[in-house]
Amino acid sequence: MTTVDAFSTDPDDAVPHTPAAAAAGRLNGTPPRTPGADLPEHPDALWKNPEPKKAYDVVIVGGGGHGLATAHYLVKNHGITNIAVLEKGWLAGGNMARNTTLIRSNYLWDESAAIYEHSLKLWEGLEEDLGYPILFSQRGVLNLAHTLQDVRDSVRRVEANVLNGVDAEWVEPDEVRKICPIVNTSTDIRYPVLGATYQPRAGIAKHDYVGWGFARRIDEAGVDIIQNCEVTGFVRDGNRITGVRTTRGDIACGKVALAAAGSTSVLTDMLGLRVPIQSHPLQALVSELLEPVHPTIVMSNAVHVYVSQAHKGELVMGAGVDAYNGYGQRGAFHIIERQMAAAVELFPVFARAHLLRTWGGIVDTTPDASPIVGRTPYDNVFLNCGWGTGGFKATPGLGWVFADTIANDEPHPYAAPFSLDRFVTGRLVDEHGAAAVAH
Amino acid sequence: MQMIQCPWCGPREEVEFHYGGQAHVPYPSEPAALSDEEWAQYLFFRDNTRGLFAERWSHSAGCRKWFNAVRDTVTYRFHATYRPDEPRPVTA
């Protein structure tokens, strides 16, 4: 796996862009490739900014990846086009604008494997579907194991993945070193690498382009994307919501779909609906631009850091959530400090890299670390929240099953296990282990 | 990093503390009488306030006692900390 195509989006590109190849290139006089040289130019126009109409068949609250993807599949799979996507800020400007972009489907339970693998398959054809570059790069993910219990849990997860048709394998430390030569696999560190799970089809995509691709597609189809439009209340008639009150006036609706991530309970409070989510800051950061050094994605749950290298060359690193509830879109510095300590021990080569920027997104966590998708006690209000730290990878898959749920007034089979009532029935989908991030 | 005022030890750095979620959630007085819905509410549902929030903290690397705090979930500023047997203070 030393020829992972980490830095090229051109399938005909004959030069393998790996650290070894880069070094060889320098030795024979060929300059290393410029990171980011393949990024496409932005088009002149992306989407319109219409005034809101008086009424829509479906109003989607939240103009992030999930809201946009839901609109896309309502159009594509169900022929519903009289849709408004309301965004309180600017389009895809929350967690979609700054995240660590990891895409994988190696979850433990059948219910999770089904929805995340559905999503991964859609990612594999999304560029063609949207007619827009999203730079989906399937460079594989290593989830490191550092203790005997980690090893046992990891092997169990690999077996569960294989049974669910998800590509996964257990790799020993020497194979970890082949896949990602910069990982410190020496045995004299505090938490030595005892092996890893490996999902070769995992990858990253360019998050902004994903948002813009969906937005362009639905804009062309006649969906109204309405930015700077915050929902301030709902108009209720018995068990139905007949309209949303917004900072740009009242908008009547046939159905309402909530896709507001960390701000979901601000909306559900207005509906008198209690949801078991807690909003937490999740921090991440990027380094300065570096030449290609990191050909895959590496995650470690035990020492808690995850790293990939962006198309332009930044090292993109994430940690777990900050412990306390928060809406401030920033977090505490000691979380970053701990994360950097783990990163430098696992990747000694990072020690002199400079930090370029940090940010915090607000993620909506649930008691079982699984999302909440489906119907609500209201006849025509549909809920999508609770994705915690892992919503980006689910973007197309969630859009597909949520659109189906909204169009048919009953949960898509992949959404059904994630209903709100599982907290009453006790049928939890406990993914605290396989979510791979502490939350 | 913030300094947090432990009611017993005084101001200490944030890394000494552990977060415990919403405060003032009483154990059900008649557990056997609860419906499944009421049990779910007690176990899994908590307020997710945007603004001033009463919550539990433990001084886990200090006196190891639990206490309550009123903290703004937007600015993260602590407006008050108080002992578990004290009522929520009035804060602005």
Side-chain angles (χ1 to χ4, degrees):
Chain A
M1 293 308 300
T2 52
T3 54
V4 172
D5 172 28
F7 301 97
S8 170
T9 56
D10 182 358
D12 296 321
D13 192 338
V15 184
H17 301 294
T18 62
R26 269 197 303 279
L27 290 177
N28 68 18
T30 312
R33 179 189 193 76
T34 308
D38 294 321
L39 287 183
E41 294 294 321
H42 297 170
D44 292 337
L46 290 168
W47 50 82
K48 299 180 285 291
N49 275 307
E51 285 299 312
K53 290 192 285 187
K54 294 241 177 303
Y56 293 91
D57 292 338
V58 180
V59 168
I60 297 171
V61 184
H66 283 203
L68 297 169
T70 303
H72 174 65
Y73 292 109
L74 278 170
V75 172
K76 182 182 158 102
N77 295 351
H78 305 282
I80 298 170
T81 56
N82 186 23
I83 302 170
V85 178
L86 309 184
E87 168 54 47
K88 73 174 175 180
W90 64 90
L91 184 126
N95 295 349
M96 194 68 176
R98 288 270 179 267
N99 72 70
T100 52
T101 78
L102 307 185
I103 295 160
R104 60 190 178 87
S105 62
N106 55 352
Y107 279 69
L108 179 64
W109 299 110
D110 296 352
E111 298 89 339
S112 315
I115 196 166
Y116 287 110
E117 178 59 19
H118 177 58
S119 194
L120 180 48
K121 288 192 175 117
L122 290 172
W123 278 111
E124 288 172 328
L126 195 58
E127 193 155 297
E128 197 174 322
D129 183 16
L130 298 179
Y132 195 73
I134 58 166
L135 285 77
F136 181 44
S137 165
Q138 288 178 287
R139 55 184 63 182
V141 63
L142 288 165
N143 288 81
L144 303 180
H146 300 277
T147 66
L148 185 56
Q149 188 60 45
D150 271 358
V151 172
R152 289 171 177 153
D153 290 343
S154 300
V155 171
R156 179 191 177 202
R157 183 145 57 92
V158 165
E159 299 296 349
N161 290 161
V162 171
L163 287 172
N164 275 316
V166 174
D167 59 317
E169 54 194 283
W170 169 255
V171 294
E172 299 286 340
D174 61 326
E175 295 167 281
V176 169
R177 199 158 48 236
K178 283 183 198 152
I179 294 165
C180 190
I182 57 171
V183 174
N184 182 1
T185 50
S186 73
T187 54
D188 63 353
I189 60 175
R190 186 172 177 191
Y191 298 106
V193 174
L194 302 183
T197 67
Y198 185 53
Q199 184 182 19
R201 285 165 62 242
I204 61 171
K206 199 98 175 78
H207 50 102
D208 289 327
Y209 289 60
V210 174
W212 300 338
F214 275 114
R216 279 165 54 95
R217 208 23 134 213
I218 63 174
D219 180 73
E220 286 164 9
V223 173
D224 282 356
I225 298 168
I226 301 166
Q227 303 177 80
N228 299 309
C229 181
E230 184 169 358
V231 170
T232 56
F234 294 91
V235 185
R236 181 176 171 178
D237 180 9
N239 228 27
R240 298 184 65 79
I241 295 299
T242 56
V244 292
R245 298 194 185 284
T246 81
T247 49
R248 297 181 64 175
D250 288 2
I251 301 172
C253 56
K255 296 179 180 183
V256 185
L258 306 182
S263 295
T264 294
S265 50
V266 176
L267 292 169
T268 51
D269 283 353
M270 296 176 198
L271 287 164
L273 175 66
R274 211 166 181 224
V275 291
I277 66 171
Q278 297 281 288
S279 297
H280 290 257
L282 172 67
Q283 300 187 85
L285 54 86
V286 296
S287 74
E288 62 192 318
L289 307 189
L290 302 170
E291 64 182 84
V293 291
H294 187 6
T296 184
I297 302 158
V298 173
M299 312 184 72
S300 169
N301 210 1
V303 299
H304 224 102
V305 68
Y306 39 99
V307 188
S308 65
Q309 190 166 14
H311 297 84
K312 274 191 298 187
E314 306 102 317
L315 297 169
V316 184
M317 301 190 220
V321 298
D322 283 44
Y324 47 74
N325 287 26
Y327 287 91
Q329 294 185 296
R330 63 182 174 80
F333 188 73
H334 66 266
I335 302 290
I336 295 174
E337 201 173 22
R338 206 176 297 154
Q339 167 197 359
M340 288 302 91
V344 171
E345 179 152 290
L346 277 178
F347 303 92
V349 68
F350 293 176
R352 295 187 187 181
H354 292 99
L355 177 65
L356 195 65
R357 61 177 176 270
T358 72
W359 67 92
I362 301 306
V363 299
D364 40 336
T365 65
T366 62
D368 61 355
S370 284
I372 300 169
V373 184
R375 305 204 57 167
T376 67
Y378 289 96
D379 294 341
N380 62 338
V381 178
F382 298 84
L383 183 62
N384 167 52
C385 65
W387 291 87
T389 61
F392 179 75
K393 68 175 76 68
T395 301
L398 174 279
W400 182 292
V401 303
F402 198 37
D404 188 273
T405 302
I406 295 162
N408 296 317
D409 290 315
E410 63 177 40
H412 182 281
Y414 290 164
F418 300 103
S419 65
L420 182 58
D421 71 2
R422 75 176 184 273
F423 297 98
V424 176
T425 64
R427 286 187 61 88
L428 304 182
V429 186
D430 184 359
E431 286 289 1
H432 276 285
V437 169
H439 68 229
Chain B
M1 190 184 302
Q2 294 210 66
M3 299 295 276
I4 299 177
Q5 182 82 21
C6 171
W8 289 277
C9 308
R12 295 289 189 275
E13 290 188 346
E14 183 180 344
V15 289
E16 293 189 17
F17 294 86
H18 181 85
Y19 185 64
Q22 185 179 355
H24 309 296
V25 180
Y27 188 78
S29 56
E30 285 189 76
L34 295 192
S35 66
D36 288 352
E37 169 67 33
E38 288 166 331
W39 261 121
Q41 287 290 329
Y42 173 69
L43 284 175
F44 297 126
F45 290 69
R46 294 291 181 270
D47 294 344
N48 192 26
T49 308
R50 192 176 197 281
L52 293 181
F53 187 47
E55 58 192 17
R56 304 174 75 224
W57 287 80
S58 161
H59 191 188
S60 49
C63 65
R64 307 196 61 204
K65 289 178 181 165
W66 285 92
F67 61 93
N68 293 334
V70 175
R71 187 182 57 96
D72 189 320
T73 60
V74 179
T75 66
Y76 305 155
R77 188 182 149 219
F78 283 79
H79 287 246
T81 57
Y82 53 104
R83 298 183 184 199
D85 57 347
E86 294 174 331
R88 175 176 172 162
V90 176
T91 51

